[in-house]
Amino acid sequence: MNKILMVRSTDQMIEKNLIGYGWQIDFSHFNQISELLDAIKTKHGTYGNSRKRIANFFNLKKGDIVVVPTGSSIALAEVEGERFFQAGSKKSSNQISVQYCRNQSGGLIRIPRKLLTNALESRLKTRTSIANLQEFSAELLSVFQNIKKNNKYIPSHIDERKLETQENFKTDLLSAIKGKKTWLESGGIGVENLVVELLRLDGYTATIQPKNQSSDVADIDIVAIKATRFYQSELLIQVKHHSGYSGEHGIRQLIAYDSDNQNANKWFITTAEISDSTKGLAEDHNIFTMDGEAFVDWLVDSIDSLTEATRRKLGIIQAPVLVLI
């Protein structure tokens, strides 16, 4: 049976019919997964909780199916199997050739997440870079065969343009936030306020914490609490307004922070990208991470509920768009 794997990959990877995964060691030099894991441990000291992800990516073979999330939709690809290594590419140094499902003009076929089952849609929200989707093989193979047979999946030209416009909007919005080309407050407080507003829309009571809480590295920016009749959830959040990559400092701030509530969940939220090694450090300490793409997904999901003042700070306006045939 062919494997079905979710592999988060960049738009650049998709354009080149590739998927990518991090770690600064060439996977193609190894014949056995045990040899690769030993080499990673020797070079990096640990592979943390990434063992399954490394093994799943390493074991991909020709004919396997890959699901690549693309914002509010997914793309499907069939593995061809040629392997490449690009040193210095933190998020996708190890690359495998695939053939993405494309239409007759060569455009990527996107399947809206809203057309998937709730269970699969929820699974795709996992923050990990690689996930085994074998339990959804019947649904995904049906979608894959539908595309192969009809050379399309999205039902109408308007829906396709709507999705394309939304993806372009997310890309532009993230670029503007990273490049500080919005009217958000400077010094990181603008993004912190934005996170607080999103948390409150999700039902949390959220407050920004005083700066310089400790004489050491320990620090959090936001405490968020959601209480119901039956449970209470507490989030301890470190927020970074970065471009490029966010390093390990924010993770170490959370590691060093001692909370009276041992059940509180620690989150690292950044507008930048996060390398697999930094994610590994976070996972080793049970810290959740949200990179810039995931942050913008969250932002766009809540965009209609944002205050008018916040939308203006982000430079978002509402205007009709004409779709031409």
Side-chain angles (χ1 to χ4, degrees):
M1 178 183 293
N2 292 338
K3 291 191 290 294
I4 300 183
L5 211 63
M6 182 197 78
V7 180
R8 296 190 183 278
S9 296
T10 64
D11 290 341
Q12 290 77 15
M13 292 286 101
I14 293 174
E15 289 176 7
K16 298 175 182 178
N17 278 327
L18 296 169
I19 53 172
Y21 186 43
W23 296 99
Q24 294 302 299
I25 188 167
D26 190 344
F27 287 14
S28 67
H29 286 172
F30 301 88
N31 295 318
Q32 301 292 330
I33 184 60
S34 57
E35 297 173 354
L36 172 59
L37 291 171
D38 287 344
I40 291 175
K41 194 169 184 180
T42 298
K43 182 172 182 177
H44 296 283
T46 180
Y47 42 76
N49 296 325
S50 299
R51 185 184 187 283
K52 286 185 178 179
R53 289 190 291 279
I54 295 168
N56 280 331
F57 189 84
F58 178 82
N59 289 324
L60 280 172
K61 299 290 189 297
K62 184 177 177 62
D64 289 338
I65 304 299
V66 174
V67 177
V68 178
T70 57
S72 60
S73 58
I74 63 170
L76 295 180
E78 186 172 3
V79 174
E80 294 189 331
E82 191 173 357
R83 295 174 185 267
F84 309 91
F85 180 73
Q86 185 176 342
S89 180
K90 294 182 179 180
K91 207 169 185 178
S92 53
S93 51
N94 286 281
Q95 302 169 4
I96 300 176
S97 65
V98 299
Q99 185 58 55
Y100 284 93
C101 293
R102 300 183 183 276
N103 56 32
Q104 290 181 342
S105 61
L108 184 70
I109 296 177
R110 301 176 188 268
I111 301 93
R113 294 194 190 199
K114 65 182 180 181
L115 299 181
L116 305 173
T117 61
N118 290 337
L120 176 53
E121 187 178 10
S122 295
R123 182 62 177 277
L124 292 169
K125 292 179 181 178
T126 180
R127 300 303 180 192
T128 187
S129 52
I130 294 177
N132 190 329
L133 300 181
Q134 208 65 38
E135 63 188 286
F136 303 101
S137 59
E139 177 179 359
L140 288 167
L141 285 174
S142 175
V143 173
F144 184 74
Q145 291 162 2
N146 176 290
I147 292 172
K148 286 292 187 181
K149 180 180 179 180
N150 300 305
N151 202 35
K152 64 179 181 179
Y153 188 78
I154 299 174
S156 75
H157 176 64
I158 290 179
D159 286 336
E160 188 170 335
R161 284 297 306 276
K162 181 179 178 181
L163 286 169
E164 180 183 348
T165 299
Q166 185 178 57
E167 292 306 311
N168 290 338
F169 170 74
K170 287 182 178 180
T171 299
D172 292 343
L173 178 58
L174 180 56
S175 177
I177 293 173
K178 283 183 177 181
K180 300 180 181 179
K181 296 180 180 178
T182 67
W183 288 265
L184 294 172
E185 295 88 338
S186 61
I189 189 64
V191 175
E192 290 177 21
N193 284 329
L194 189 53
V195 171
V196 165
E197 185 168 344
L198 292 171
L199 286 164
R200 289 174 178 168
L201 290 173
D202 281 353
Y204 285 89
T205 300
T207 54
I208 294 176
Q209 302 302 290
K211 304 305 179 186
N212 303 317
Q213 306 154 28
S214 171
S215 59
D216 60 13
V217 70
D219 183 67
I220 57 170
D221 292 319
I222 297 169
V223 173
I225 296 173
K226 180 188 288 186
T228 71
R229 186 185 301 273
F230 300 106
Y231 80 99
Q232 177 169 301
S233 171
E234 182 175 354
L235 308 179
L236 307 174
I237 303 171
Q238 176 62 234
V239 179
K240 298 295 184 187
H241 188 179
H242 288 167
S243 59
Y245 279 83
S246 284
E248 296 181 353
H249 180 67
I251 303 297
R252 297 196 182 281
Q253 288 178 300
L254 287 165
I255 292 171
Y257 187 86
D258 289 325
S259 171
D260 294 334
N261 181 2
Q262 297 302 312
N263 294 319
N265 289 321
K266 294 181 177 179
W267 274 86
F268 176 67
I269 299 176
T270 177
T271 55
E273 296 184 54
I274 307 172
S275 70
D276 285 310
S277 59
T278 300
K279 287 180 183 178
L281 176 65
E283 290 173 1
D284 288 344
H285 293 274
N286 298 315
I287 294 172
F288 299 91
T289 60
M290 180 184 295
D291 65 8
E293 288 186 4
F295 175 64
V296 166
D297 284 342
W298 182 24
L299 179 57
V300 170
D301 285 344
S302 305
I303 205 163
D304 291 336
S305 301
L306 294 174
T307 64
E308 178 63 24
T310 296
R311 287 199 294 268
R312 289 177 67 87
K313 287 179 181 179
L314 290 169
I316 296 170
I317 61 172
Q318 291 181 316
V321 177
L322 179 63
V323 177
L324 299 175
I325 297 177

